[in-house]
């Protein structure tokens, strides 16, 4: 009998600036070469997953009530990214690869998230399940107001989603 696993600390989230050879089955090498944002993204407003599919009214002429067919799949992405600074002052460009990739409106990127019994810090491995892979386009990062660390919310639009895929 399987055991349940608490989700805390188990979500690995990687963004790729280069399209994988097969976006529906990226390799562990491609994912590990990407930008691991697992420890750079605020947990409380992280949204990366499926949302309700489109509905198509398919009610028979003589039927009572509604009968909808499920249409195209829809996905969402948006998260808040902390900015990183050097202790001597100024931005830490070595620790801001994620910011560099995400700060430009209209950038096309690929995101993959794993939530299994593995810790978020564990490298991607062949046969890992990504609960979602997606090609997405960034919108302009949005400044958050004054509390906590300096951070920006990065909204995006998923162009293509790949739910529950295995890492090649």
């Amino acid at each position: 009998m399987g055991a349940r696993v608490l989700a805390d600390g188990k979500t690995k989230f990687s963004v790729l600036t280069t399209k994988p050879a097969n976006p529906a089955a990226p390799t562990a090498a491609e994912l590990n070469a990407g930008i691991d944002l697992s420890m750079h993204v605020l947990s409380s407003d992280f949204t990366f997953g499926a949302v309700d599919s489109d509905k198509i009214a398919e009610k028979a002429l003589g039927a009572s009530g509604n009968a909808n067919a499920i249409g195209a799949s829809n996905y969402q992405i948006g998260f808040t990214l902390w900015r990183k600074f050097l202790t001597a002052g100024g931005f830490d460009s070595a620790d801001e690869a994620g910011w560099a990739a995400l700060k430009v409106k209209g950038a096309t990127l690929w995101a993959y998230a794993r939530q299994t019994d593995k810790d978020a810090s564990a490298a991607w491995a062949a046969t890992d399940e990504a609960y979602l892979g997606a090609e997405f386009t960034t919108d302009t990062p949005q400044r958050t107001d004054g509390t906590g660390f300096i951070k920006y919310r990065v909204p995006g639009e998923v162009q293509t989603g790949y739910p529950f895929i295995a890492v090649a």
Side-chain angles (χ1 to χ4, degrees):
M1 183 168 150
R4 295 178 295 175
V5 175
L6 291 173
D8 195 34
K10 301 296 185 186
T11 303
K12 185 168 194 71
F13 180 59
S14 297
V15 170
L16 285 63
T17 58
T18 301
K19 182 178 182 177
N22 180 356
T27 66
E30 289 170 321
L31 292 172
N32 288 319
I35 303 165
D36 184 354
L37 293 178
S38 306
M39 298 303 290
H40 301 271
V41 167
L42 185 65
S43 172
S44 63
D45 74 346
F46 178 71
T47 55
F48 183 54
V51 294
D52 290 353
S53 296
D54 290 347
K55 310 296 185 284
I56 303 165
E58 287 290 335
K59 176 183 170 184
L61 182 62
S64 296
N66 282 328
N68 290 330
I70 300 296
S73 298
N74 294 306
Y75 304 92
Q76 66 179 347
I77 187 167
F79 49 89
T80 298
L81 186 69
W82 287 291
R83 297 297 312 270
K84 300 298 177 71
F85 297 87
L86 298 167
T87 54
F91 292 108
D92 184 353
S93 58
D95 200 17
E96 286 216 313
W99 176 250
L102 294 159
K103 70 181 180 180
V104 177
K105 179 180 179 177
T108 298
L109 303 167
W110 292 263
Y112 294 86
R114 174 186 76 204
Q115 190 175 52
T116 65
D117 57 332
K118 289 185 174 184
D119 286 336
S121 60
W124 289 96
T127 73
D128 277 354
E129 178 189 77
Y131 76 79
L132 183 61
E135 177 183 328
F136 74 102
T137 304
T138 57
D139 199 348
T140 303
Q142 301 164 354
R143 191 179 69 79
T144 60
D145 285 326
T147 58
F149 295 107
I150 296 172
K151 56 194 175 289
Y152 286 81
R153 172 109 179 122
V154 180
E157 288 294 326
V158 172
Q159 304 302 306
T160 306
Y162 308 99
F164 303 105
I165 58 175
V167 174

